[in-house]
């Protein structure tokens, strides 16, 4: 059995910089036609100059493949309309992090009070720049995303022309919210379709499955599965593949992030096939994103086949999800 995907897109990807970029970027560019690149470097990407330099480093690291990095700027509440108008030519979106909520987000927004965000949100609405949000409060870890629902509602109601993407949703409440506001969309990761908190911490602690937002309950995962498997038109695949060196994961202060880029399409094919929904995979990994972002990806055909694939223990010192395990789908060819 095979399936050919046309221009798969990863709408939420961490590529890092320096040596890590050189290690991980080709693993995405091999099988994806493009990706939304997260700006949480140190320091974060907040200027057009830094963004263009980063983009050119990404392009050099992926030069053997046809791959388009779709760049984002790190959200700041003091960006001017003129700045955003210039930035618009180079970016696909702005990414908003609540301050300190996850890896390298210290420079994020400290209050979600819309009065402080109004000017930038209005400019983004006017310029048609999408807002991508890491939607968690700093409350109890299992409740952080649920508590952010009221913030999403405020944003969606007050700025109806602003396209808002709830990034890496993990709860049934977020899944329900999608249907309530026309201008809300979402990305879903691979790992949140597979795991619950039990897989992370129910037995021996599994640091390579630790991420933010943390995986939740089975009923939450099932709500995400319903959306993904039916390729709900407001939902896109965004891996949130977030590589960290092995010593930062297997450590007493484990960094958050699951590295899935090189195994994502194989594991998605397996999941969609097992659930008799292989026909919806194309929409989930490409069509919906094109529609939502209004983008036309580079052409790339990725053929997957139902042949075992032994996932390597590590890719250059970064441990992927399913390391050492066998997936039943593999990549046959890319053209
Ligand atoms: O688990 C995560 N890792 N969640 C994020 O939001 C950020 C990411 C990272 O950059 O490592
Ligand atoms: Zn992320």
């Amino acid at each position: 059995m095979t399936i050919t995907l046309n221009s798969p897109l990863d709408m939420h990807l961490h590529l890092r910089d320096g040596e890590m970029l050189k290690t991980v970027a080709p693993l995405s560019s091999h099988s994806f036609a493009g990706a939304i690149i997260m700006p949480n470097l140190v320091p974060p990407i907040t200027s057009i100059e830094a963004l263009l330099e980063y983009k050119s480093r990404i392009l050099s690291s992926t030069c053997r493949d046809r791959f388009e990095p779709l760049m984002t700027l790190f959200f700041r509440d003091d960006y001017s309309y003129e700045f955003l108008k210039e930035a618009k030519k180079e970016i696909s979106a702005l990414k908003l992090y609540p301050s300190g909520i996850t890896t390298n987000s210290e420079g994020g927004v400290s209050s979600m009070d819309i009065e402080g965000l109004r000017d930038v949100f209005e400019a983004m609405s006017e310029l048609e720049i999408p807002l991508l949000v890491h939607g968690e409060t700093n409350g109890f870890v299992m409740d952080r995303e649920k508590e952010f629902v009221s913030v999403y509602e405020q944003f969606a109601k007050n700025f109806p022309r602003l396209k808002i993407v709830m990034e890496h949703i993990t709860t049934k409440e977020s899944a329900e919210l999608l249907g309530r506001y026309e201008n809300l969309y979402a990305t879903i990761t691979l790992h949140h379709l597979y795991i619950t908190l039990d897989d992370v911490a129910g037995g021996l602690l599994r640091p390579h499955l630790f991420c933010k937002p943390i995986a939740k309950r089975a009923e939450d995962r099932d709500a995400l599965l319903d959306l993904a498997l039916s390729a709900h038109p407001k939902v896109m695949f965004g891996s949130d593949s977030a590589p960290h060196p092995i010593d930062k994961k297997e450590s007493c202060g484990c960094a958050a992030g699951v590295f899935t880029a090189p195994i994502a399409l194989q594991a998605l094919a397996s999941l969609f096939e097992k659930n008799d929904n292989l026909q919806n995979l194309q929409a989930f990994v490409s069509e919906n994103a094109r529609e939502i972002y209004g983008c036309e990806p580079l052409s790339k055909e990725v053929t997957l086949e139902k042949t075992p694939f032994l996932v390597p223990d590590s890719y250059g010192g970064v441990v992927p999800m399913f390391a050492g395990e066998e997936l039943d789908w593999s990549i046959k060819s890319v053209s």
Side-chain angles (χ1 to χ4, degrees):
M1 195 185 333
T2 65
I3 181 175
T4 297
L5 298 173
N6 185 276
S7 302
L9 297 168
D10 181 347
M11 303 311 279
H12 185 132
L13 178 64
H14 296 269
L15 287 180
R16 316 300 191 203
D17 211 342
E19 286 307 306
M20 183 62 96
L21 170 67
K22 290 181 192 150
T23 302
V24 300
L27 299 170
S28 284
S29 64
H30 173 62
S31 51
F32 288 92
I36 288 278
I37 310 298
M38 288 297 129
N40 62 331
L41 303 185
V42 185
I45 305 282
T46 54
S47 73
I48 301 172
E49 196 187 7
L51 178 129
L52 291 177
E53 284 167 8
Y54 185 38
K55 184 177 182 180
S56 81
R57 292 195 294 282
I58 295 170
L59 288 171
S60 340
S61 303
T62 57
C63 58
R64 274 184 290 159
D65 299 303
R66 226 169 318 121
F67 177 77
E68 185 180 11
L70 302 164
M71 304 305 290
T72 65
L73 276 173
F74 192 92
F75 184 96
R76 296 265 306 261
D77 58 13
D78 59 356
Y79 288 145
S80 67
Y81 181 88
E82 287 65 35
F83 170 78
L84 290 171
K85 193 171 172 197
E86 275 309 296
K88 156 94 181 161
K89 300 171 194 154
E90 309 295 342
I91 64 173
S92 294
L94 255 58
K95 172 71 186 284
L96 184 153
Y97 289 93
S99 174
I101 204 67
T102 189
T103 313
N104 306 338
S105 62
E106 291 68 25
V109 172
S110 47
S111 161
M112 292 303 139
D113 176 36
I114 54 169
E115 286 322 310
L117 304 169
R118 182 175 293 284
D119 291 351
V120 179
F121 282 3
E122 275 174 359
M124 292 171 72
S125 306
E126 184 68 36
L127 294 163
E128 299 184 3
I129 299 173
L131 173 72
L132 318 185
V133 183
H134 183 118
E136 289 194 284
T137 66
N138 56 10
F140 179 65
V141 68
M142 285 294 277
D143 297 335
R144 288 176 187 175
E145 185 172 310
K146 199 160 59 182
E147 288 173 359
F148 205 86
V149 163
S150 59
V151 178
Y152 278 131
E153 291 199 280
Q154 288 275 316
F155 287 3
K157 266 191 231 164
N158 284 280
F159 303 92
R161 289 188 304 140
L162 181 61
K163 204 170 253 193
I164 302 165
V165 184
M166 304 186 284
E167 294 294 328
H168 43 55
I169 58 170
T170 63
T171 65
K172 60 181 188 329
E173 288 79 8
S174 299
E176 279 159 20
L177 197 58
L178 266 184
R180 295 219 291 275
Y181 297 91
E182 214 174 301
N183 54 336
L184 281 186
Y185 301 84
T187 57
I188 299 181
T189 73
L190 170 75
H191 45 287
H192 292 119
L193 292 173
Y194 266 91
I195 65 170
T196 68
L197 184 61
D198 255 3
D199 296 290
V200 187
L204 292 178
L205 189 66
R206 295 179 61 196
H208 298 289
L209 296 181
F210 172 63
C211 63
K212 304 266 179 84
I214 193 120
K216 305 288 187 317
R217 298 170 179 278
E219 58 262 37
D220 295 303
R221 181 188 53 189
D222 292 348
L224 306 181
L225 274 170
D226 282 347
L227 291 174
L229 294 170
S230 65
H232 187 294
K234 295 178 91 181
V235 160
M236 309 163 267
F237 174 61
S239 70
D240 198 15
S241 178
H244 292 278
I246 192 164
D247 61 299
K248 294 278 185 293
K249 293 292 287 176
E250 298 180 6
S251 138
C252 65
C254 169
V258 183
F259 179 52
T260 53
I263 56 93
L265 291 179
Q266 301 90 319
L268 282 173
S270 177
L271 185 70
F272 275 63
E273 191 227 343
K274 281 198 184 82
N275 288 279
D276 293 322
N277 275 299
L278 211 43
Q279 74 282 0
N280 286 340
L281 185 54
Q282 173 67 30
F284 181 58
V285 298
S286 190
E287 250 76 54
N288 291 357
R290 301 181 200 195
E291 199 60 43
I292 294 167
Y293 274 82
C295 63
E296 191 46 55
L298 298 173
S299 81
K300 183 176 260 183
E301 288 204 336
V302 180
T303 300
L304 294 137
E305 69 179 341
K306 198 171 177 192
T307 302
F309 164 50
L310 178 63
V311 178
D313 289 337
S314 123
Y315 289 87
V318 187
V319 179
M321 188 177 179
F322 299 120
E325 291 177 45
E326 197 170 85
L327 295 176
D328 51 5
W329 282 74
S330 53
I331 293 178
K332 182 172 182 231
S333 62
V334 179
S335 61

